[in-house]
Amino acid sequence: MDPAQHATPTDWPAYVEDFRRAGHAAVEWIADYLAETRRFRVLPAVTPGELQDALPKSAPDAGEPFDRIMEDFDRVIMRGVTHWNHPAFFAYFACTGSTPAIVAEMLAAALNTNGLHWLTSPAVAELEQVALGWLRQWMGVPEGWTGVIYDTASTTSMHAIVCAREFTAPEVHAEGGGRNLVLYTSEQSHSSIEKGAIAVGIGQNNVRKVPVDAEFRMRPDALAALIERDLSAGLRPCGIVATIGTTSTTSVDPVSAIAAIAERHNLWLHVDAAYAGAAAILPECRHHFAGLERAHSFVVNAHKWLLTPIDLSAFYTRRPDVMRRAFSLVPEYLRPQQDPRAHNLMDYGIPLGHRFRALKLWFVMRYFGRHRIQQVLRDHIAWAQRLASLIDSHPDFERAAPAPFSVVNFRFRGTDEQNRAILEAVNSSGKTFISSTVLHQRFVLHVAIGNLGTTWADVEQAWELVKKAAAEI
Ligand SMILES: *Cc1c(COP(=O)(O)O)cnc(C)c1O
């Protein structure tokens, strides 16, 4: 018998000891990785299908030892990894998988506890309230807002759209249909809003993409006009989704003016602050969030700019009663617990199972504390502003949008083709990863700063690579 073919320990103590050894080795591996992330190409140099071809076509019949699995992890899997945790990762949006959260994820997996309702894991139910309450305070959001953790902002916003429907068209809950409902969001909002409307049955054609102003912010006058037009056509406006920090440009919709319109028509107002919500922790950024307290719900992703690894999306609402109406299928008299303090997470969304995500947020908030997190956010914003001014003073480049947070959009003063070639050259260097977007029908380069390990030198290097690529085309 080949011992390697029968590596899985069959008695419990040996199984646990096997973990102890592999677990220590994995922590060593992680520490080495974090110490030397810069050694890796940010973008891997692989072709589609390469990884699938390098792995066996079917799973093993007999268990294999950790060492063999780790070997393939290093040799095959790592080759196909895009290093989002790399300090020179500047694509899409900010993110960091920080060490306290890595530890917490390991502990949560070990406990494997599932917070369906309070009794199935009081720690999951209560720590989620505590961590989200702390975060609410940091962001300056008043008391009375309840939080729930989901996986991603896309899921969160879909839940908000269900709440909007429950709020304005409660009969749809039982009867289905929901014909003629209309949802409003800006033409710069994230695609998840449209997807949510599709999933909820509002339908893609009933999502109005409200035009934006020169700085990519939703135009309240255009919103009001669209609502009036729909009302006179016999349609039923049901909700508005504003964005604080849009995906392309991080523009900020005028939430106060939008809230006034929502109030006039009694519509649910959801605010998507998936990326920029973290900036509310900085008093000097609070003005971007004016009017947020008049919304009915908002989302902020801890897995973006809050040092928490994917996934953790925080949903807040000041109308938990509407949420419960939408998602609670258990009659009140059959409550698993009668105690009003027993929070049942299954009443606040589609999933029944509820992962212990709160643990990593709680670890992150305690480990770093508010001051350190504020310092990190301030550095990122300052470096983005510094990059913006370098771009502004360079004759061959121009900025494509204002930069209120830590994202800079800019372009080489040339053709789209030339800008595409610059992007390609910069990213194929492996030294950094920047992304692109399209603004006013033009191809634009997008640099998002937000990793804990990033220094100004990383940003400067990306800028140097861009200039070098531009000089070579
Ligand atoms: C990133 C982002 C999303 C999508 O977030 P997921 O968590 O990946 O679903 C939605 N809206 C905005 C404004 C974003 O920045």
Side-chain angles (χ1 to χ4, degrees), residues 93 151-155 157 189-193 243-247 272-276 299 301 303-304 310 313:
F93 50 78
D151 51 5
T152 60
S154 304
T155 300
S157 289
S189 79
H190 191 265
S191 55
S192 57
I193 307 310
T243 314
I244 295 179
T246 56
T247 308
D272 179 359
Y275 149 74
V299 54
N301 276 356
H303 72 236
K304 282 184 170 167
I310 189 154
S313 182

Side-chain angles (χ1 to χ4, degrees), residues 251-320:
S251 61
V252 177
D253 288 339
V255 175
S256 290
I258 294 168
I261 296 169
E263 285 157 9
R264 193 179 323 141
H265 295 285
N266 202 25
L267 305 179
W268 186 277
L269 173 60
H270 173 62
V271 174
D272 179 359
Y275 149 74
I281 298 173
L282 297 176
E284 66 268 31
C285 286
R286 283 278 166 78
H287 63 279
H288 292 304
F289 298 84
L292 179 67
E293 70 288 348
R294 291 164 71 184
H296 298 82
S297 62
F298 72 94
V299 54
V300 51
N301 276 356
H303 72 236
K304 282 184 170 167
W305 209 4
L306 274 174
L307 311 184
T308 305
I310 189 154
D311 47 9
L312 197 159
S313 182
F315 179 61
Y316 287 93
T317 181
R318 62 181 171 84
R319 293 300 305 271

Side-chain angles (χ1 to χ4, degrees), residues 33 42 81-87 89 91-93 95-97 433 451:
Y33 174 69
V42 186
V81 170
T82 296
H83 293 275
W84 286 66
N85 230 7
H86 195 297
F89 181 100
Y92 314 117
F93 50 78
C95 71
T96 304
F433 180 24
N451 185 275

Side-chain angles (χ1 to χ4, degrees), residues 192-274:
S192 57
I193 307 310
E194 216 166 326
K195 279 197 195 179
I198 294 168
V200 164
I202 289 174
Q204 196 172 13
N205 294 342
N206 298 318
V207 179
R208 300 279 177 268
K209 300 290 196 62
V210 182
V212 294
D213 66 13
E215 298 194 352
F216 307 101
R217 300 170 295 204
M218 189 195 291
R219 280 177 37 206
D221 60 318
L223 169 67
L226 281 168
I227 293 173
E228 293 298 346
R229 195 195 67 185
D230 287 334
L231 283 171
S232 37
L235 302 176
R236 293 174 74 190
C238 93
I240 305 170
V241 181
T243 314
I244 295 179
T246 56
T247 308
S248 272
T249 72
T250 70
S251 61
V252 177
D253 288 339
V255 175
S256 290
I258 294 168
I261 296 169
E263 285 157 9
R264 193 179 323 141
H265 295 285
N266 202 25
L267 305 179
W268 186 277
L269 173 60
H270 173 62
V271 174
D272 179 359

